[in-house]
Amino acid sequence: MGLSVRAEKVSRAVQNGLGRIPVLGGSSGDGMQFTETRVCADGAFRTGSAVLVLISTMLPFRTFKTDHFVPTDDRVVVTRADADRRVVYEIDGRPAAEAYAQLVGVPVAELTVQHYAECPMVVMIAGTKYLRAIRSANADGSLTFYCAIEEGLVLRAARGVGLAEKLEDTFVEIETAIGRPQLVMGCDCILRKVEAKFRGLVGQSLVGIVLIEDGRFTYSNSRFADMFGYSEPEIRERGPLELTVPNDREFVADNLRRRLTGAIDRTDFVFRGLRKNGEVLDAECHSKVMQVGGRRMLISMVLDISTRAAAEREILVLQEQLREESTHDSLTGLYNRRFLDASFARELVLAERSGEPVSVIMCDLDHFKRVNDRYGHQAGDEVLRAFGELMKQHARASDIFYRYGAEDFLMVLPGLASEGALERAEQLRSALANLTVEHGDGRIRVTASFGVATFPADGRSSDALIAAADGALYTAKAARRNQAQSGR
């Protein structure tokens, strides 16, 4: 805090008495009242008192001060002042408050402690800046300062930079010089606390705040206006539905209406907002009814959750992809063996209940290793994909296709008897034999062998049926391949 005149004299006397021993200190106060100081000692608060603490240590230490202000090129001169009272009446021959307000860029009547905190005056002495913080603007147009002030002093307006960053840089320098501090004792200016509080509130303005009355915005903070790309006056010319995509307007209107009528205690919902430039954002709204001057209005907090919503949508897509990958073969898009275990057993249960047959076709591409050896594995993958597409083209809606192994495929055909399954296998065999797969400069032709088994004649379990179809497949291969054989 700024020192009172009396406290400053005492501080100077203490410093003179201690000689080269560094002194760090300030006056305690009563917030922004500045009527008296209070010191807590022996369990009681005392006025008109001071505390002196002498510290002796063998540890390395540093005394330091920080500020985060940069002087501007705007220079003014104190032309009339009361140095003892630290009151400046005129700056550049004009009322001091008026001159300062012009430097800050606001009307005199709107000067607040926030301006004094963010825009102090600076005195440059031998290249070093010394802050001259303003305490108040007075009714007679004068300014009262915390620090020593006198006529003829050249002052420069200052603008703040990163408060936290400057303090962090200072502690980095201290830690570099003496190691990590075990104890820090400090005094802070009340205006710095005001500025930190204000900047903290601004930094927390992730939430847009609006008042809604008679279907229109009667107030909005800057965050809400920025969120939707409007100026604050433009926002107050609009209503909530104008900032909502058309498809969500009925939903938003219903939520706001039910909250205003008391049908629901609180309103928390997500909607798609419409920015001024036509872009769509995802927004989350929390609303509460309040009475102001006997009038009923809605205060709403609105958050831009576009990033979160996009991440959630991406997660849903990834989850769907994972579900797809867990049951499908990534190369051919057919079901994999993991899905076979559950789905085949279910089909057999249904067949048992209905008395309908279920046929199984096992297929193996003939001499597939030769394709990989001659044309390469990428060509082999192209052949597998082509055969997978061929299987889908010859499928009924109820048929289920699986990639069973490297070049092995399995078809489950509910409701199809052995003769029909054998006919289906023959159709697929013929289609593949007439298919040419092009890869690079190569034109690849392949054939396949097929084995057919049917529930319940060839087995009553999935394992038994697959084994029967596999046996028929090997019979086809033994009979010079490129043919279909039945388990019976």
Side-chain angles (χ1 to χ4, degrees):
M1 294 183 180
L3 298 173
S4 66
V5 176
R6 180 181 177 188
E8 184 174 299
K9 291 179 179 178
V10 173
S11 177
R12 288 176 180 172
V14 171
Q15 181 66 82
N16 291 335
L18 294 174
R20 298 181 61 185
I21 298 175
V23 172
L24 175 66
S27 62
S28 62
D30 50 2
M32 297 297 294
Q33 301 303 313
F34 306 110
T35 56
E36 61 181 12
T37 61
R38 302 187 185 97
V39 174
C40 184
D42 297 329
F45 282 94
R46 305 171 188 273
T47 59
S49 303
V51 175
L52 174 63
V53 179
L54 297 175
I55 299 176
S56 176
T57 178
M58 298 296 292
L59 297 173
F61 68 93
R62 288 289 186 278
T63 56
F64 66 93
K65 68 171 185 170
T66 66
D67 69 68
H68 57 287
F69 295 98
V70 177
T72 67
D73 293 330
D74 298 322
R75 292 178 173 84
V76 294
V77 179
V78 177
T79 50
R80 188 162 71 92
D82 184 335
D84 289 337
R85 296 176 54 227
R86 296 181 180 175
V87 175
V88 174
Y89 294 99
E90 291 182 2
I91 293 177
D92 287 347
R94 300 164 54 199
E98 178 184 314
Y100 175 75
Q102 183 177 350
L103 290 174
V104 174
V106 299
V108 176
E110 295 182 12
L111 285 175
T112 67
V113 67
Q114 177 187 316
H115 297 109
Y116 311 146
E118 291 191 298
C119 305
M121 304 302 286
V122 172
V123 176
M124 299 297 296
I125 301 176
T128 301
K129 65 177 181 292
Y130 296 89
L131 297 181
R132 289 296 181 264
I134 297 170
R135 172 176 161 180
S136 63
N138 306 315
D140 62 358
S142 65
L143 294 173
T144 300
F145 282 72
Y146 287 106
C147 309
I149 203 81
E150 58 187 19
E151 291 180 7
L153 206 60
V154 177
L155 300 176
R156 297 171 67 175
R159 293 291 185 271
V161 291
L163 187 156
E165 291 82 355
K166 292 289 289 186
L167 188 60
E168 184 177 356
D169 290 344
T170 299
F171 275 97
V172 169
E173 294 173 4
I174 293 171
E175 187 168 342
T176 301
I178 65 172
R180 189 173 186 82
Q182 298 181 31
L183 174 68
V184 177
M185 297 182 64
C187 300
D188 205 0
C189 174
I190 185 64
L191 290 185
R192 177 139 60 173
K193 293 184 180 297
V194 170
E195 181 190 7
K197 180 178 180 182
F198 171 73
R199 291 190 181 278
L201 291 174
V202 171
Q204 294 168 15
S205 60
L206 302 175
V207 179
I209 301 175
V210 286
L211 290 178
I212 303 169
E213 187 177 2
D214 297 328
R216 312 297 293 178
F217 296 120
T218 56
Y219 166 81
S220 72
N221 68 350
S222 59
R223 173 56 183 157
F224 184 86
D226 292 343
M227 193 183 303
F228 287 89
Y230 292 93
S231 67
E232 291 179 52
E234 287 176 323
I235 287 290
R236 289 190 286 274
E237 296 173 357
R238 288 163 172 78
L241 301 187
E242 296 174 69
L243 305 186
T244 305
V245 298
N247 288 345
D248 285 4
R249 285 173 184 169
E250 183 177 349
F251 166 74
V252 170
D254 183 58
N255 272 278
L256 297 180
R257 177 189 58 76
R258 290 193 298 154
R259 185 64 187 94
L260 277 169
T261 58
I264 53 177
D265 293 333
R266 54 184 296 175
T267 306
D268 303 326
F269 60 92
V270 174
F271 68 100
R272 288 172 297 166
L274 191 63
R275 291 192 172 102
K276 183 178 181 180
N277 62 6
E279 292 180 355
V280 175
L281 74 150
D282 294 283
E284 183 176 284
C285 180
H286 304 267
S287 297
K288 180 180 181 181
V289 172
M290 59 185 298
Q291 296 285 344
V292 178
R295 305 185 68 175
R296 191 177 180 86
M297 61 179 60
L298 201 63
I299 180 169
S300 296
M301 295 185 296
V302 181
L303 295 81
D304 183 350
I305 60 168
S306 298
T307 301
R308 188 184 82 190
E312 289 173 348
R313 286 192 291 268
E314 185 176 347
I315 289 172
L316 289 176
V317 170
L318 290 173
Q319 288 175 338
E320 184 59 35
Q321 289 177 349
L322 288 173
R323 280 193 292 269
E324 182 78 9
E325 291 172 3
S326 69
T327 58
H328 287 75
D329 172 57
S330 59
L331 179 64
T332 64
L334 303 178
Y335 287 113
N336 56 25
R337 290 186 66 168
R338 178 179 299 175
F339 186 71
L340 170 66
D341 295 336
S343 59
F344 195 4
R346 182 174 60 249
E347 293 299 331
L348 293 180
V349 170
L350 293 174
E352 186 78 50
R353 292 175 181 173
S354 65
E356 293 289 324
V358 176
S359 289
V360 175
I361 301 176
M362 180 72 80
C363 168
D364 180 81
L365 298 181
D366 297 329
H367 303 299
F368 184 70
K369 185 176 182 300
R370 295 178 185 176
V371 175
N372 286 331
D373 292 344
R374 180 176 179 182
Y375 298 100
H377 287 280
Q378 289 185 346
D381 288 347
E382 195 63 39
V383 171
L384 294 171
R385 277 192 288 266
F387 184 60
E389 287 300 316
L390 200 62
M391 294 174 71
K392 295 174 187 176
Q393 292 170 14
H394 288 76
R396 302 172 304 170
S398 58
D399 296 342
I400 311 173
F401 295 84
Y402 308 87
R403 185 179 178 190
Y404 192 76
E407 63 267 17
D408 300 322
F409 297 83
L410 182 71
M411 292 163 270
V412 175
L413 313 174
L416 199 62
S418 178
E419 292 77 8
L422 196 59
E423 183 179 346
R424 177 73 65 79
E426 180 58 32
Q427 292 171 354
L428 195 54
R429 183 206 64 78
S430 177
L432 179 62
N434 293 305
L435 179 68
T436 299
V437 178
E438 296 185 3
H439 180 79
D441 296 332
R443 295 171 59 83
I444 308 168
R445 302 287 294 271
V446 294
T447 61
S449 301
F450 298 81
V452 177
T454 303
F455 169 89
D458 297 317
R460 305 189 70 90
S461 69
S462 57
D463 289 343
L465 286 169
I466 290 174
D470 199 39
L473 170 64
Y474 276 93
T475 300
K477 282 185 171 293
R480 306 188 66 167
R481 297 181 171 83
N482 191 25
Q483 58 184 277
Q485 293 285 343
S486 173
R488 285 183 283 176

